[in-house]
Amino acid sequence: MLTLHSISLAALFAVLVYVICFVCRYRIIPQSLSVTAEFNGRYKWWQIMICTVMGWLGYWIPTVYTFAECGYYTIMASAGVAGLALAGYYSYSPDIETKHDLTVHKVGSFSGAVLVCLFYVLFLKWWAVLGVLAACLILGVFVPGYRFNDTTKRYDKSNSIVFWEEIGIVCVVGFDIVKHFIETL
């Protein structure tokens, strides 16, 4: 189990490094994590990172929270992670953004995030998750988010609600990963 949780920590670290490198490099807060794929050739790196990390979490969740212990909640969380992985793959492409890809991305992201959050709230009774997401919502309303734009303006100003909510979900899952890692030691 220590190996399992160590790899999970590495996956969490990969997401955090990706976000920190992006924010430091461009000195902006994006509208969402997937929007980072639009910047200077990051599309393939985004796809590799998100599909690898979410693929790993798709293995980690049912291994840590077995069906015998959690029942259908495990399937719900695993389906949420699969939705997030698929949504990351169908992320915004700087070359071609078809209506189909955008629909898959939006539906997969939203449904995946909701299923993962429901797992933590309903099964684990982590009501603090709702508090974290509420705090992220408030932060996202007040911190402007940007998206790369090829027209005369470089960035189009907007809110960063989706970005902060995604960071909130990463924090919740990250807390769970760290908690299991510490328990294993």
Side-chain angles (χ1 to χ4, degrees):
M1 284 305 253
L2 185 60
T3 303
L4 176 77
H5 298 311
S6 297
I7 294 171
S8 302
L9 277 176
L12 174 64
F13 185 71
V15 172
L16 294 177
V17 166
Y18 180 85
V19 171
I20 290 168
C21 287
F22 179 85
V23 170
C24 289
R25 165 97 163 88
Y26 295 102
R27 292 181 176 84
I28 63 165
I29 301 295
Q31 288 179 343
S32 71
L33 283 176
S34 58
V35 167
T36 64
E38 296 178 356
F39 289 77
N40 295 339
R42 292 192 175 273
Y43 185 58
K44 292 296 179 195
W45 287 108
W46 165 254
Q47 285 181 324
I48 290 167
M49 189 272 305
I50 200 68
C51 290
T52 302
V53 169
M54 291 302 153
W56 177 257
L57 286 179
Y59 170 75
W60 183 79
I61 287 176
T63 303
V64 173
Y65 299 103
T66 63
F67 185 78
E69 176 186 289
C70 305
Y72 290 104
Y73 290 112
T74 300
I75 294 172
M76 180 174 64
S78 296
V81 169
L84 289 171
L86 183 64
Y89 182 78
Y90 282 100
S91 191
Y92 300 103
S93 171
D95 301 324
I96 301 167
E97 186 175 282
T98 65
K99 185 173 171 42
H100 172 266
D101 290 351
L102 191 58
T103 302
V104 170
H105 176 73
K106 287 181 177 179
V107 171
S109 295
F110 180 75
S111 60
V114 166
L115 290 173
V116 169
C117 289
L118 281 175
F119 170 76
Y120 283 103
V121 171
L122 296 177
F123 178 71
L124 295 178
K125 309 291 189 228
W126 285 11
W127 298 104
V129 170
L130 298 177
V132 168
L133 295 179
C136 290
L137 176 67
I138 292 167
L139 191 60
V141 168
F142 293 108
V143 176
Y146 297 91
R147 183 171 178 185
F148 190 73
N149 194 344
D150 294 290
T151 60
T152 55
K153 291 187 211 174
R154 184 158 184 216
Y155 301 106
D156 185 21
K157 190 173 182 180
S158 183
N159 65 45
S160 59
I161 292 172
V162 174
F163 173 78
W164 289 109
E165 293 294 332
E166 290 169 333
I167 294 300
I169 293 169
V170 167
C171 289
V172 167
V173 175
F175 175 80
D176 192 26
I177 289 170
V178 170
K179 181 177 96 48
H180 279 90
F181 179 78
I182 291 170
E183 289 173 356
T184 305
L185 292 176

